[in-house]
Amino acid sequence: MTDTEAAPAWSLPDDRDSVRDALIDWYEADHREFPWRRTDDPYAILVSEVMSQQTQLDRVVEAWEAFLERWPSTTELAAADRADVVGFWTDHSLGYNNRAKYLHEAAGQIESDYDGRFPESPDELQELMGVGPYTANAVASFAFNNGDAVVDTNVKRVLYRAFDVPDDDSAFEDAAGDLMPADRSRVWNNAIMELGGVACEQTPACDEAGCPWREWCSAYASGDFTAPDVPTQPSFEGSRRQFRGRVIGTLREYDELELDTLGHRVRVDYAPNGEYGREWLRGLLTDLEDDGLVELDRNAEPVVARLRR
């Protein structure tokens, strides 16, 4: 960065190796099994990527297997009658029949222009009919471990929530690229998309899915799970989500505090016996305790709240 360039308003955690290791370990320990994740055949991966556009993955599996059984390589697909390929698409309710047409044309390109061998870089793959930047990068990553960081809707949602990356394509691309470990695009892109598809969906399942980024995640701390593809939640100012975040921020600063001391630090109108008093604060802290973020020492007098380490 030059002296004249402004630093981004968002920032990634300093210990990025820990962030990377946590995600990869989580993914490798347990993830959804899709057959295209067990191959590095670029043709099979291209078919899966094209079929998966705006189609649920569980529905794609049967169609993908049937397609590859009928046309197991670009050679067979290029030689097929286009009407048969489009008919297959319609029969399997994959939608947008022009994707079948483009896939057929891409197979012909590989056979005629590349002597049956797939190009390996994202830029070269974009020369294929119907293959845009995302699909090209996915094939480069999953087939050749030669891709850039994937930035799809799921990845944007994860970065927006976890690290406050703004809803801006260039910011998402910068953040995704900074996070991805060198020469590991295959596992990394699978892992971060899995995170968005399993733990950080539109309705998050942070604890249920054992999200590996909870300790770094801004949304998890504040309870505000708004994202670019998620309807805006009610006003944050004065909301329960805002005060959850204030409690976490205050306990990070002071480690542990008695309830009334904490209450006065998180809202100016705190009154122990008032509407926003001990009962209100106990309810907030109990929610955070259930989420695994806060510990309450109920044996202390008065009760003490601290972050769970």
Side-chain angles (χ1 to χ4, degrees):
M1 179 178 294
T2 67
D3 292 340
T4 59
E5 291 178 319
W10 51 273
S11 61
L12 299 175
D14 291 334
D15 188 7
R16 295 185 197 174
D17 285 342
S18 295
V19 174
R20 293 168 180 139
D21 291 346
L23 178 58
I24 291 172
D25 289 348
W26 172 83
Y27 174 76
E28 291 183 335
D30 184 30
H31 59 261
R32 292 173 297 176
E33 281 292 338
F34 295 115
W36 48 84
R37 285 181 170 171
R38 299 193 294 268
T39 182
D40 59 5
D41 176 8
Y43 170 66
I45 291 169
L46 176 62
V47 173
S48 76
E49 289 294 330
V50 173
M51 285 186 173
S52 299
Q53 294 168 13
Q54 301 183 350
T55 305
Q56 292 181 339
L57 294 182
D58 289 340
R59 287 180 48 218
V60 170
V61 173
E62 181 179 351
W64 180 82
E65 291 174 338
F67 191 95
L68 293 182
E69 182 176 354
R70 185 167 181 180
W71 301 293
S73 72
T74 55
T75 303
E76 287 84 1
L77 183 59
D81 188 302
R82 179 179 297 175
D84 290 340
V85 181
V86 173
F88 177 98
W89 221 257
T90 301
D91 291 344
H92 287 79
S93 302
L94 293 168
Y96 298 99
N97 289 343
N98 61 336
R99 287 185 286 153
K101 180 184 71 172
Y102 292 146
L103 187 58
H104 180 259
E105 291 180 13
Q109 283 179 272
I110 290 167
E111 289 301 306
S112 62
D113 299 345
Y114 295 93
D115 296 324
R117 295 179 61 86
F118 260 78
E120 298 186 7
S121 73
D123 287 344
E124 289 177 309
L125 283 158
Q126 283 189 67
E127 297 298 319
L128 299 178
M129 184 63 68
V131 175
Y134 172 80
T135 300
N137 193 42
V139 175
S141 294
F142 305 141
F144 304 111
N145 196 32
N146 187 39
D148 302 316
V150 164
V151 181
D152 68 352
T153 299
N154 282 345
V155 173
K156 290 179 179 179
R157 188 187 318 120
V158 168
L159 296 175
Y160 184 94
R161 285 174 171 169
F163 307 123
D164 296 319
V165 177
D167 185 8
D168 175 82
D169 286 346
S170 62
F172 285 129
E173 289 171 6
D174 289 345
D178 286 348
L179 272 175
M180 188 179 78
D183 303 319
R184 301 202 70 186
S185 63
R186 177 182 289 128
V187 67
W188 178 261
N189 285 329
N190 267 318
I192 197 168
M193 289 194 296
E194 183 80 352
L195 186 66
V198 171
C200 200
E201 297 177 282
Q202 290 190 344
T203 300
C206 317
D207 295 318
E208 299 90 328
C211 174
W213 281 358
R214 283 172 289 180
E215 68 177 277
W216 297 283
C217 181
S218 294
Y220 190 76
S222 69
D224 180 3
F225 290 97
T226 301
D229 63 329
V230 178
T232 302
Q233 296 186 19
S235 174
F236 183 64
E237 188 63 31
S239 68
R240 194 172 183 83
R241 291 176 289 125
Q242 182 183 40
F243 289 108
R244 280 173 56 106
R246 286 186 182 177
V247 167
I248 296 297
T250 302
L251 292 178
R252 280 177 176 158
E253 182 178 358
Y254 292 96
D255 193 38
E256 66 176 33
L257 289 171
E258 297 175 354
L259 257 60
D260 287 345
T261 304
L262 175 62
H264 285 296
R265 281 177 166 79
V266 298
R267 64 182 308 154
V268 295
D269 57 348
Y270 179 85
N273 298 314
E275 180 181 1
Y276 298 110
R278 290 178 190 141
E279 184 176 351
W280 169 84
L281 183 58
R282 283 178 183 272
L284 198 66
L285 289 167
T286 299
D287 287 349
L288 290 167
E289 185 180 40
D290 291 342
D291 289 341
L293 294 172
V294 165
E295 292 179 346
L296 293 178
D297 185 353
R298 294 179 174 82
N299 294 322
E301 184 57 46
V303 173
V304 169
R306 65 177 64 92
L307 287 182
R308 178 170 290 177
R309 300 295 185 182

